Amino acid sequence: MSKICCFTGHRKIYSMSLPVVAQRLEDKLIFLIEKEDFSDFRAGGATGFDSLAALTVLKLKNKYPHIKLHLLLPCKTHDKYFSHLEKGLYQYTINGADSVTYVQEHYSREAMFARNRALVDGSDLCIACLERLEGGTYQTVNYARKQ
């Protein structure tokens, strides 16, 4: 039976560590796919680590066409304040995703929390890029640990 992995992480990845984070993430996903039977990956559509994770899964789909990217997004207007580049990456991941689910119709603070819980619920593993012990990523990691 295939397993599900979700991602959570900060919107800001410090540029000096971005190549390291990207390589570690790709190496971990390859291990999970080849050795641990993971095939379903959930990302939340935020900038930063969420985008990196979604883009990495899409890249790996070329080598592992059986894997799936599922986007669980807080609302339909989630990208309202994204930069032009961020909107382009966001649309690219939506177009490449195997499924897109909007947790709520409209933006609210609760939509973000609901999205984070939805990512974790039913997942077998949560990969986190946690650099600060505060904020939504920290809360999501704590929620995942309890699950």
Side-chain angles (χ1 to χ4, degrees):
M1 176 183 238
S2 65
K3 297 177 187 172
I4 301 169
C5 173
C6 70
F7 305 103
T8 187
H10 299 296
R11 287 180 176 82
K12 176 74 173 150
I13 301 173
Y14 297 99
S15 59
M16 299 238 342
S17 66
L18 181 58
V20 173
V21 171
Q23 189 60 58
R24 288 182 68 192
L25 175 62
E26 185 172 336
D27 292 346
K28 183 65 172 179
L29 293 182
I30 290 169
F31 174 81
L32 292 174
I33 294 163
E34 291 183 352
K35 306 292 185 195
E36 298 291 328
D37 198 30
F38 279 81
S39 63
D40 289 86
F41 299 90
R42 297 175 174 176
T47 59
F49 187 72
D50 277 11
S51 292
L52 176 63
L55 291 169
T56 303
V57 171
L58 290 176
K59 175 184 172 185
L60 291 175
K61 282 178 69 92
N62 292 321
K63 184 175 180 182
Y64 307 99
H66 69 284
I67 67 172
K68 307 278 187 234
L69 174 63
H70 305 284
L71 297 179
L72 281 74
L73 308 176
C75 62
K76 291 184 178 179
T77 58
H78 179 57
D79 66 339
K80 183 176 181 177
Y81 297 108
F82 286 11
S83 71
H84 182 70
L85 175 62
E86 291 165 342
K87 284 180 188 255
L89 290 173
Y90 182 73
Q91 193 58 53
Y92 178 81
T93 59
I94 287 175
N95 292 341
D98 294 282
S99 70
V100 178
T101 302
Y102 296 97
V103 176
Q104 292 187 4
E105 186 68 25
H106 301 288
Y107 175 81
S108 71
R109 186 169 165 81
E110 176 54 33
M112 299 301 193
F113 295 125
R115 182 266 320 266
N116 294 344
R117 289 188 302 270
L119 286 167
V120 170
D121 291 342
S123 291
D124 298 291
L125 177 71
C126 180
I127 294 179
C129 181
L130 181 65
E131 296 179 346
R132 297 180 306 280
L133 301 181
E134 61 185 359
T137 297
Y138 180 63
Q139 292 172 356
T140 304
V141 167
N142 284 335
Y143 181 76
R145 285 179 175 149
K146 291 176 186 174
Q147 301 308 310

